[in-house]
Coordinates of all heavy atoms in Angstrom, one line a residue:
M1 N 104.3 122.5 73.0 CA 103.7 121.2 73.2 C 104.0 120.6 74.6 O 105.3 120.7 75.0 CB 104.2 120.2 72.1 CG 103.5 118.9 72.0 SD 104.3 117.8 70.9 CE 104.7 116.4 71.9
E2 N 103.2 120.0 75.2 CA 103.5 119.5 76.5 C 104.2 118.2 76.5 O 103.8 117.3 75.6 CB 102.3 119.3 77.4 CG 102.0 120.4 78.2 CD 101.0 120.2 79.4 OE1 101.0 119.0 79.9 OE2 100.2 121.1 79.6
H3 N 105.3 118.0 77.3 CA 105.9 116.7 77.3 C 105.1 115.6 78.1 O 104.4 116.0 79.0 CB 107.3 116.9 78.1 CG 108.3 117.7 77.2 ND1 108.9 117.2 76.1 CD2 108.7 118.9 77.3 CE1 109.8 118.0 75.6 NE2 109.6 119.2 76.3
P4 N 105.2 114.4 77.6 CA 104.6 113.4 78.4 C 105.3 113.2 79.7 O 106.4 113.5 79.8 CB 104.8 112.1 77.5 CG 105.9 112.5 76.5 CD 105.9 114.0 76.5
L5 N 104.7 112.5 80.6 CA 105.2 112.3 82.0 C 105.5 110.8 82.1 O 104.9 109.9 81.5 CB 104.3 112.6 83.0 CG 103.8 114.1 83.2 CD1 102.7 114.3 84.2 CD2 105.0 115.1 83.4
C6 N 106.6 110.5 82.8 CA 106.9 109.2 83.2 C 105.7 108.6 83.9 O 105.3 109.2 84.8 CB 108.2 109.0 83.9 SG 108.5 107.4 84.6
Q7 N 105.2 107.5 83.4 CA 104.0 106.9 84.0 C 104.3 106.1 85.3 O 103.5 105.4 85.9 CB 103.3 105.9 83.1 CG 102.8 106.8 81.9 CD 101.7 107.7 82.3 OE1 100.7 107.4 82.9 NE2 102.0 109.0 82.0
S8 N 105.6 106.2 85.9 CA 105.9 105.6 87.1 C 106.2 106.8 88.1 O 105.8 106.8 89.3 CB 107.1 104.8 86.9 OG 107.6 104.5 88.2
C9 N 107.1 107.7 87.8 CA 107.6 108.7 88.7 C 107.0 110.0 88.5 O 107.3 111.0 89.4 CB 109.2 108.7 88.8 SG 109.8 109.4 87.2
G10 N 106.4 110.3 87.4 CA 105.8 111.5 87.2 C 106.7 112.7 86.7 O 106.2 113.8 86.6
F11 N 107.9 112.3 86.4 CA 108.8 113.3 85.9 C 108.7 113.5 84.4 O 108.2 112.6 83.7 CB 110.3 113.0 86.2 CG 110.7 113.4 87.5 CD1 110.3 112.6 88.6 CD2 111.5 114.5 87.8 CE1 110.7 112.9 89.9 CE2 111.9 114.8 89.0 CZ 111.4 114.1 90.1
V12 N 109.0 114.7 83.8 CA 108.8 114.9 82.4 C 109.7 114.0 81.7 O 110.9 113.9 81.9 CB 109.2 116.4 82.1 CG1 109.1 116.6 80.7 CG2 108.1 117.2 82.8
L13 N 109.2 113.4 80.6 CA 109.8 112.5 79.8 C 110.4 113.3 78.6 O 109.8 113.8 77.8 CB 108.9 111.4 79.1 CG 108.8 110.0 79.9 CD1 107.9 109.1 79.0 CD2 110.1 109.4 80.1
L14 N 111.8 113.2 78.4 CA 112.5 113.9 77.4 C 113.1 112.7 76.5 O 113.2 111.6 77.0 CB 113.5 114.8 77.9 CG 113.1 115.8 78.9 CD1 114.3 116.6 79.6 CD2 112.3 116.9 78.1
E15 N 113.5 113.2 75.4 CA 114.1 112.1 74.4 C 115.2 111.5 75.0 O 115.4 110.2 74.9 CB 114.5 112.8 73.2 CG 113.4 113.0 72.2 CD 112.4 111.8 71.8 OE1 113.0 110.7 71.6 OE2 111.3 112.0 71.8
E16 N 116.0 112.2 75.9 CA 117.2 111.6 76.3 C 117.1 110.8 77.7 O 118.0 110.2 78.1 CB 118.3 112.7 76.5 CG 117.9 113.8 77.5 CD 117.1 115.0 76.6 OE1 116.6 114.7 75.6 OE2 117.2 116.1 77.2
N17 N 115.9 110.8 78.3 CA 115.8 110.1 79.5 C 114.7 109.1 79.5 O 114.2 108.6 80.5 CB 115.6 111.0 80.7 CG 114.2 111.7 80.8 OD1 113.4 111.5 79.9 ND2 114.0 112.3 81.9
K18 N 114.3 108.7 78.3 CA 113.3 107.5 78.1 C 113.9 106.2 78.4 O 115.0 105.9 78.1 CB 112.7 107.7 76.7 CG 111.7 108.8 76.4 CD 111.0 108.7 75.1 CE 110.1 109.9 74.9 NZ 109.6 110.0 73.6
G19 N 113.1 105.4 78.9 CA 113.4 103.9 79.3 C 113.6 103.2 78.0 O 113.3 103.5 77.0
T20 N 114.1 101.9 78.3 CA 114.4 101.0 77.1 C 113.6 99.6 77.3 O 113.4 99.1 78.5 CB 115.9 100.6 77.1 OG1 116.3 100.3 78.4 CG2 116.6 101.9 76.7
N21 N 113.1 99.2 76.2 CA 112.4 97.9 76.2 C 113.4 96.7 76.1 O 114.6 97.0 76.0 CB 111.5 97.8 74.9 CG 110.4 98.8 75.1 OD1 109.7 99.0 76.1 ND2 110.1 99.5 73.9
R22 N 112.9 95.5 76.2 CA 113.8 94.4 76.3 C 114.7 94.3 75.0 O 115.9 93.9 75.0 CB 113.0 93.1 76.4 CG 113.7 92.0 77.1 CD 113.1 90.8 76.6 NE 111.8 90.5 77.3 CZ 111.7 89.7 78.4 NH1 112.6 89.0 78.8 NH2 110.5 89.4 78.9
D23 N 114.2 94.8 73.9 CA 114.9 94.7 72.6 C 115.7 96.0 72.4 O 116.2 96.3 71.3 CB 114.0 94.4 71.4 CG 113.0 95.6 71.3 OD1 112.9 96.5 72.1 OD2 112.0 95.5 70.4
Q24 N 115.8 96.8 73.4 CA 116.7 98.0 73.4 C 116.0 99.2 72.7 O 116.6 100.2 72.4 CB 118.0 97.8 73.0 CG 118.9 96.9 73.8 CD 118.9 97.2 75.2 OE1 119.3 98.3 75.6 NE2 118.5 96.3 76.1
S25 N 114.8 99.0 72.2 CA 114.1 100.1 71.6 C 113.6 101.0 72.8 O 113.7 100.6 73.9 CB 112.9 99.6 70.8 OG 111.9 98.9 71.6
I26 N 113.3 102.2 72.3 CA 112.8 103.2 73.4 C 111.5 103.0 73.8 O 110.5 102.7 73.1 CB 113.0 104.6 72.7 CG1 114.4 104.9 72.3 CG2 112.4 105.7 73.7 CD1 115.4 105.0 73.5
N27 N 111.2 103.1 75.2 CA 109.9 103.0 75.7 C 109.4 104.4 76.0 O 110.0 105.2 76.6 CB 110.1 102.2 77.1 CG 108.6 102.0 77.7 OD1 108.0 103.0 78.2 ND2 108.2 100.8 77.7
G28 N 108.3 104.6 75.4 CA 107.6 106.1 75.5 C 106.9 106.3 76.7 O 106.4 107.5 76.8
E29 N 106.8 105.4 77.6 CA 105.9 105.7 78.8 C 106.7 105.8 80.1 O 106.1 106.4 81.1 CB 104.9 104.6 79.0 CG 103.9 104.5 77.9 CD 102.8 103.4 78.1 OE1 103.3 102.2 78.5 OE2 101.7 103.7 77.9
Y30 N 107.8 105.3 80.2 CA 108.7 105.5 81.4 C 110.0 106.0 81.2 O 110.6 105.8 80.1 CB 108.8 104.0 82.0 CG 107.4 103.3 82.3 CD1 107.0 102.3 81.6 CD2 106.7 103.7 83.4 CE1 105.7 101.8 81.9 CE2 105.5 103.2 83.7 CZ 105.0 102.2 82.9 OH 103.7 101.6 83.2
C31 N 110.5 106.6 82.3 CA 111.9 107.1 82.1 C 112.9 106.0 82.3 O 112.7 105.0 83.0 CB 112.1 108.3 83.0 SG 112.3 107.8 84.7
I32 N 114.2 106.4 82.1 CA 115.3 105.5 82.2 C 115.5 105.1 83.7 O 116.1 104.1 83.9 CB 116.6 106.0 81.5 CG1 117.7 105.0 81.3 CG2 117.2 107.3 82.3 CD1 117.4 104.0 80.2
H33 N 115.3 106.0 84.6 CA 115.4 105.7 86.0 C 114.5 104.6 86.5 O 114.8 104.0 87.4 CB 115.2 106.9 86.9 CG 116.2 108.1 86.4 ND1 117.6 108.0 86.5 CD2 115.9 109.2 85.7 CE1 118.1 109.1 86.0 NE2 117.1 109.8 85.5
C34 N 113.3 104.6 85.9 CA 112.3 103.6 86.3 C 112.2 102.3 85.4 O 111.8 101.3 86.1 CB 110.9 104.3 86.2 SG 110.6 105.7 87.3
F35 N 112.6 102.4 84.3 CA 112.4 101.3 83.4 C 113.5 101.1 82.4 O 113.9 102.0 81.6 CB 111.1 101.6 82.5 CG 110.5 100.4 81.9 CD1 109.6 99.6 82.6 CD2 110.7 100.2 80.6 CE1 109.0 98.5 82.0 CE2 110.0 99.1 79.9 CZ 109.2 98.2 80.7
Q36 N 114.2 99.9 82.5 CA 115.3 99.6 81.6 C 115.2 98.1 81.3 O 114.8 97.3 82.0 CB 116.7 99.8 82.5 CG 117.0 101.2 82.6 CD 118.2 101.3 83.5 OE1 119.1 100.5 83.6 NE2 118.4 102.4 84.2
N37 N 115.6 97.9 80.0 CA 115.5 96.5 79.4 C 114.2 95.8 79.6 O 114.2 94.7 79.9 CB 116.7 95.7 80.0 CG 118.0 96.4 79.8 OD1 118.2 97.0 78.7 ND2 118.9 96.4 80.7
G38 N 113.1 96.5 79.5 CA 111.7 95.9 79.6 C 111.4 95.6 81.0 O 110.4 95.0 81.2
E39 N 112.0 96.1 82.0 CA 111.6 95.8 83.4 C 111.8 97.1 84.3 O 112.6 98.0 84.0 CB 112.6 94.8 84.0 CG 112.3 93.4 83.5 CD 113.3 92.4 84.0 OE1 114.3 92.8 84.8 OE2 113.1 91.3 83.9
F40 N 110.9 97.2 85.3 CA 111.1 98.3 86.2 C 112.4 98.1 87.0 O 112.7 97.0 87.5 CB 109.9 98.3 87.3 CG 108.7 98.8 86.6 CD1 107.6 98.0 86.4 CD2 108.6 100.1 86.1 CE1 106.4 98.5 85.9 CE2 107.4 100.6 85.5 CZ 106.4 99.8 85.4
T41 N 113.2 99.1 87.1 CA 114.4 99.0 87.9 C 114.2 98.7 89.3 O 115.0 98.0 89.9 CB 115.2 100.4 87.8 OG1 114.4 101.4 88.2 CG2 115.7 100.7 86.3
D42 N 113.1 99.1 89.9 CA 112.8 98.7 91.4 C 111.4 98.2 91.3 O 110.4 99.1 91.4 CB 113.0 99.9 92.1 CG 112.8 99.7 93.7 OD1 112.4 98.4 94.0 OD2 113.0 100.5 94.5
S43 N 111.2 96.9 91.2 CA 109.9 96.3 91.1 C 109.2 96.3 92.4 O 107.9 96.1 92.5 CB 110.0 94.8 90.5 OG 110.9 94.1 91.4
S44 N 109.9 96.6 93.6 CA 109.2 96.6 94.8 C 108.7 98.0 95.2 O 108.0 98.2 96.2 CB 110.2 96.1 95.9 OG 111.3 96.9 96.0
L45 N 109.0 98.8 94.4 CA 108.5 100.3 94.6 C 107.1 100.4 94.7 O 106.3 99.9 94.0 CB 109.0 101.1 93.5 CG 109.0 102.7 93.6 CD1 110.1 103.0 94.7 CD2 109.4 103.4 92.4
S46 N 106.6 101.1 95.8 CA 105.2 101.4 95.9 C 104.9 102.8 95.7 O 105.8 103.7 95.8 CB 104.7 100.9 97.3 OG 105.2 101.8 98.3
I47 N 103.6 103.2 95.6 CA 103.3 104.6 95.5 C 103.6 105.3 96.7 O 104.0 106.5 96.7 CB 101.8 104.8 95.1 CG1 101.5 106.2 94.7 CG2 100.9 104.3 96.2 CD1 100.1 106.3 94.0
H48 N 103.6 104.6 97.9 CA 103.9 105.3 99.1 C 105.4 105.7 99.2 O 105.9 106.7 99.6 CB 103.5 104.4 100.3 CG 104.0 105.1 101.7 ND1 103.3 106.2 102.1 CD2 104.8 104.8 102.6 CE1 103.9 106.5 103.3 NE2 104.8 105.6 103.5
T49 N 106.2 104.6 98.7 CA 107.7 104.9 98.6 C 108.0 106.1 97.7 O 108.9 106.9 98.0 CB 108.4 103.7 98.1 OG1 107.8 102.5 98.8 CG2 109.9 103.7 98.4
M50 N 107.3 106.2 96.6 CA 107.5 107.3 95.6 C 107.3 108.6 96.4 O 108.0 109.6 96.2 CB 106.5 107.2 94.5 CG 106.9 106.3 93.3 SD 108.6 106.7 92.7 CE 108.5 108.3 92.3
E51 N 106.1 108.6 97.2 CA 105.8 109.9 97.9 C 106.9 110.3 98.8 O 107.4 111.5 98.8 CB 104.5 109.8 98.6 CG 103.3 109.7 97.8 CD 102.0 109.5 98.6 OE1 102.0 109.9 99.8 OE2 101.0 109.0 98.0
V52 N 107.4 109.4 99.6 CA 108.4 109.6 100.6 C 109.7 110.0 99.9 O 110.3 111.1 100.2 CB 108.8 108.3 101.4 CG1 109.9 108.5 102.3 CG2 107.6 108.0 102.3
R53 N 110.1 109.4 98.7 CA 111.2 109.7 98.0 C 111.2 111.1 97.4 O 112.1 111.9 97.4 CB 111.3 108.7 96.8 CG 112.7 108.6 96.3 CD 112.7 107.5 95.2 NE 113.0 106.2 95.7 CZ 113.2 105.1 95.0 NH1 113.4 105.2 93.7 NH2 113.4 103.9 95.5
L54 N 110.0 111.5 96.9 CA 109.8 112.9 96.3 C 110.0 113.9 97.4 O 110.6 114.9 97.1 CB 108.5 113.0 95.7 CG 108.3 112.3 94.2 CD1 106.9 112.1 93.9 CD2 109.1 113.2 93.2
N55 N 109.4 113.7 98.6 CA 109.5 114.6 99.7 C 111.0 114.8 100.1 O 111.4 115.9 100.3 CB 108.7 114.2 100.8 CG 107.2 114.7 100.8 OD1 107.0 115.8 100.3 ND2 106.3 113.9 101.1
D56 N 111.7 113.7 100.2 CA 113.1 113.7 100.5 C 113.9 114.4 99.5 O 114.9 115.3 99.8 CB 113.6 112.2 100.7 CG 113.2 111.6 102.0 OD1 112.6 112.3 102.8 OD2 113.3 110.4 102.1
M57 N 113.7 114.1 98.2 CA 114.4 114.8 97.2 C 114.2 116.4 97.2 O 115.1 117.1 97.0 CB 113.9 114.4 95.7 CG 114.6 113.1 95.3 SD 113.8 112.4 93.8 CE 114.2 113.7 92.7
A58 N 112.9 116.7 97.5 CA 112.7 118.2 97.6 C 113.4 118.8 98.7 O 113.7 120.0 98.7 CB 111.1 118.4 97.7
K59 N 113.6 118.1 99.8 CA 114.3 118.6 101.0 C 115.9 118.8 100.7 O 116.4 119.7 101.1 CB 114.1 117.8 102.2 CG 112.8 117.9 102.9 CD 112.8 116.9 104.1 CE 111.3 116.5 104.2 NZ 111.3 115.2 104.9
I60 N 116.3 117.8 99.9 CA 117.7 117.8 99.6 C 118.3 118.6 98.4 O 119.2 119.3 98.4 CB 118.2 116.3 99.5 CG1 117.9 115.5 100.8 CG2 119.7 116.3 99.2 CD1 117.9 114.1 100.6
H61 N 117.5 118.5 97.3 CA 117.9 119.0 96.1 C 117.2 120.4 95.8 O 116.0 120.5 95.9 CB 117.6 118.1 94.9 CG 118.3 116.8 95.0 ND1 119.6 116.7 94.7 CD2 117.9 115.6 95.3 CE1 120.0 115.4 94.9 NE2 119.0 114.7 95.3
N62 N 118.0 121.3 95.3 CA 117.4 122.6 94.9 C 116.6 122.5 93.7 O 115.7 123.4 93.4 CB 118.6 123.6 94.7 CG 119.2 124.0 96.1 OD1 118.4 124.0 97.1 ND2 120.5 124.3 96.0
E63 N 116.9 121.5 92.8 CA 116.2 121.6 91.5 C 114.8 121.3 91.7 O 113.9 121.6 90.8 CB 116.8 120.5 90.6 CG 118.3 120.5 90.4 CD 119.0 119.6 91.4 OE1 119.1 118.5 91.2 OE2 119.5 120.2 92.4
L64 N 114.4 120.6 92.8 CA 113.1 120.2 93.0 C 112.4 120.9 94.2 O 113.0 120.7 95.3 CB 112.9 118.6 93.2 CG 111.4 118.1 93.4 CD1 110.8 118.0 92.0 CD2 111.6 116.6 93.9
S65 N 111.5 121.8 93.9 CA 110.9 122.6 95.1 C 109.9 121.7 95.8 O 109.3 120.7 95.2 CB 110.3 123.9 94.6 OG 109.1 123.5 93.9
M66 N 109.4 122.1 97.0 CA 108.4 121.4 97.7 C 107.1 121.4 96.9 O 106.4 120.4 96.9 CB 108.2 122.1 99.1 CG 109.2 121.6 100.2 SD 109.6 119.9 100.3 CE 108.8 119.3 101.6
E67 N 106.9 122.5 96.3 CA 105.6 122.7 95.4 C 105.6 121.6 94.3 O 104.6 121.0 94.0 CB 105.5 124.1 94.9 CG 105.2 125.2 95.9 CD 106.3 125.5 96.8 OE1 107.5 125.4 96.4 OE2 106.1 125.9 98.0
E68 N 106.8 121.6 93.6 CA 106.9 120.6 92.5 C 106.7 119.1 93.0 O 106.0 118.4 92.4 CB 108.2 120.7 91.7 CG 108.3 122.0 90.9 CD 109.7 122.3 90.4 OE1 110.6 121.9 91.2 OE2 109.9 122.9 89.4
A69 N 107.3 118.9 94.1 CA 107.2 117.6 94.6 C 105.7 117.2 95.0 O 105.2 116.2 94.6 CB 108.1 117.4 96.0
Q70 N 105.0 118.2 95.6 CA 103.5 118.0 95.9 C 102.8 117.8 94.6 O 101.8 117.0 94.6 CB 103.1 119.2 96.7 CG 103.6 119.3 98.1 CD 103.2 118.0 98.9 OE1 102.0 117.4 98.8 NE2 104.2 117.5 99.6
H71 N 103.1 118.6 93.7 CA 102.4 118.5 92.4 C 102.6 117.1 91.8 O 101.6 116.4 91.3 CB 103.0 119.5 91.4 CG 102.4 119.5 90.0 ND1 101.1 119.9 89.7 CD2 102.9 119.2 88.9 CE1 100.8 119.7 88.5 NE2 101.9 119.3 87.9
I72 N 103.7 116.5 91.9 CA 104.0 115.2 91.3 C 103.2 114.2 92.1 O 102.7 113.2 91.6 CB 105.5 115.0 91.2 CG1 106.2 115.9 90.1 CG2 105.7 113.4 90.8 CD1 107.7 115.8 90.1
I73 N 103.3 114.3 93.5 CA 102.7 113.4 94.4 C 101.2 113.4 94.1 O 100.6 112.2 94.1 CB 102.9 113.9 95.9 CG1 104.4 113.4 96.2 CG2 101.9 113.1 96.8 CD1 104.9 114.0 97.5
H74 N 100.5 114.5 93.7 CA 99.2 114.5 93.4 C 98.9 113.8 92.1 O 97.9 113.3 91.9 CB 98.6 116.0 93.4 CG 98.4 116.5 94.7 ND1 97.5 115.9 95.6 CD2 99.0 117.5 95.4 CE1 97.5 116.8 96.7 NE2 98.5 117.6 96.6
L75 N 99.9 113.8 91.2 CA 99.7 113.1 89.9 C 99.9 111.6 90.0 O 99.3 110.9 89.1 CB 100.8 113.7 88.9 CG 100.6 115.1 88.3 CD1 101.9 115.4 87.6 CD2 99.4 115.1 87.5
L76 N 100.6 111.2 90.9 CA 101.0 109.7 90.9 C 99.7 108.8 90.7 O 99.9 107.9 90.0 CB 101.8 109.5 92.3 CG 103.2 110.0 92.4 CD1 103.8 109.6 93.7 CD2 104.1 109.4 91.3
P77 N 98.7 108.9 91.5 CA 97.6 108.0 91.3 C 97.0 107.9 90.0 O 96.3 107.0 89.7 CB 96.6 108.5 92.4 CG 97.3 109.4 93.3 CD 98.5 110.0 92.5
S78 N 97.3 108.9 89.2 CA 96.7 108.9 87.9 C 97.7 108.3 86.8 O 97.3 108.1 85.7 CB 96.2 110.3 87.4 OG 97.5 111.1 87.2
L79 N 98.8 107.9 87.3 CA 99.8 107.4 86.3 C 99.5 105.9 86.2 O 99.1 105.2 87.1 CB 101.2 107.7 86.9 CG 101.6 109.1 87.1 CD1 103.1 109.1 87.6 CD2 101.6 109.8 85.7
K80 N 99.9 105.4 85.0 CA 99.6 104.0 84.6 C 100.1 103.0 85.6 O 99.4 102.1 86.0 CB 100.3 103.8 83.3 CG 99.8 102.6 82.5 CD 100.4 102.5 81.1 CE 100.1 101.2 80.5 NZ 100.8 101.1 79.2
R81 N 101.3 103.2 86.2 CA 101.9 102.2 87.0 C 101.1 102.1 88.3 O 101.1 101.0 88.9 CB 103.4 102.5 87.3 CG 104.1 101.5 88.1 CD 105.5 101.6 88.2 NE 106.1 100.6 89.1 CZ 107.3 100.6 89.5 NH1 108.2 101.6 89.2 NH2 107.8 99.6 90.2
W82 N 100.5 103.1 88.8 CA 99.9 103.1 90.1 C 98.4 103.0 90.1 O 97.7 102.9 91.1 CB 100.3 104.3 90.9 CG 101.7 104.6 90.8 CD1 102.4 105.6 90.2 CD2 102.8 103.7 91.4 NE1 103.8 105.4 90.4 CE2 104.0 104.3 91.0 CE3 102.8 102.5 92.1 CZ2 105.2 103.6 91.5 CZ3 104.0 102.0 92.5 CH2 105.2 102.5 92.2
K83 N 97.8 103.2 89.0 CA 96.2 103.2 88.8 C 95.6 102.0 89.5 O 94.6 102.2 90.1 CB 95.8 103.2 87.3 CG 95.5 104.6 86.9 CD 95.1 104.5 85.4 CE 94.9 105.9 84.9 NZ 94.8 105.9 83.5
M84 N 96.3 100.9 89.3 CA 95.7 99.6 89.8 C 95.4 99.6 91.2 O 94.5 99.0 91.8 CB 96.7 98.5 89.5 CG 97.1 98.3 88.0 SD 95.6 97.9 87.0 CE 95.6 96.1 87.3
D85 N 96.4 100.4 92.1 CA 96.2 100.4 93.4 C 94.9 101.0 93.9 O 94.5 100.8 95.1 CB 97.3 101.3 94.1 CG 98.7 100.5 93.9 OD1 98.7 99.4 93.4 OD2 99.7 101.2 94.1
F86 N 94.3 101.8 93.1 CA 93.1 102.5 93.5 C 91.8 102.1 93.0 O 90.7 102.7 93.1 CB 93.2 104.0 93.2 CG 94.4 104.6 94.0 CD1 95.7 104.4 93.6 CD2 94.1 105.4 95.1 CE1 96.7 105.0 94.5 CE2 95.0 106.0 96.0 CZ 96.4 105.8 95.6
I87 N 91.8 100.9 92.4 CA 90.6 100.3 91.9 C 89.9 99.5 92.9 O 90.5 98.8 93.7 CB 90.9 99.4 90.7 CG1 91.4 100.2 89.5 CG2 89.6 98.6 90.3 CD1 91.8 99.5 88.3
Ligands
ZN101 ZN1 110.3 107.5 85.9

């Protein structure tokens, strides 16, 4: 079964990295890095910043390859958080 993706950063959502709603229940759409206590952890984040961040991560971290970063960058516009930018 395919894992759902965080609808903000495009990373795979696992049981242990899901975000939290205001009532501390689990949010099934965003990861803990993006969404905590019912709010985005960085509300000023833009899709462009996400792209830059992913590219930087791919350069620095071995866990994320350039190919994976590009793959996620291509996915970003289809994610719920960023869709609005393209209407
Ligand atoms: Zn995320």
Side-chain angles (χ1 to χ4, degrees):
M1 193 187 121
E2 266 197 38
H3 286 289
L5 301 174
C6 169
Q7 294 297 302
S8 168
C9 67
F11 278 75
V12 174
L13 265 186
L14 305 168
E15 281 310 316
E16 57 270 27
N17 74 353
K18 282 182 180 170
T20 50
N21 295 316
R22 209 202 287 254
D23 61 2
Q24 298 306 310
S25 61
I26 297 297
N27 183 287
E29 292 184 315
Y30 300 105
C31 76
I32 194 76
H33 305 291
C34 296
F35 200 78
Q36 285 174 28
N37 304 320
E39 290 178 348
F40 286 114
T41 53
D42 186 352
S43 58
S44 65
L45 196 68
S46 71
I47 191 165
H48 178 69
T49 315
M50 273 313 299
E51 289 181 22
V52 173
R53 200 177 277 192
L54 281 160
N55 275 319
D56 286 347
M57 274 173 67
K59 279 178 213 154
I60 299 162
H61 297 290
N62 287 330
E63 309 92 80
L64 186 73
S65 70
M66 277 323 250
E67 288 75 27
E68 283 167 333
Q70 286 304 316
H71 178 68
I72 295 171
I73 286 168
H74 283 297
L75 284 175
L76 289 178
S78 67
L79 299 176
K80 194 175 170 185
R81 186 174 179 186
W82 311 116
K83 260 183 189 165
M84 303 295 274
D85 292 351
F86 290 81
I87 292 172

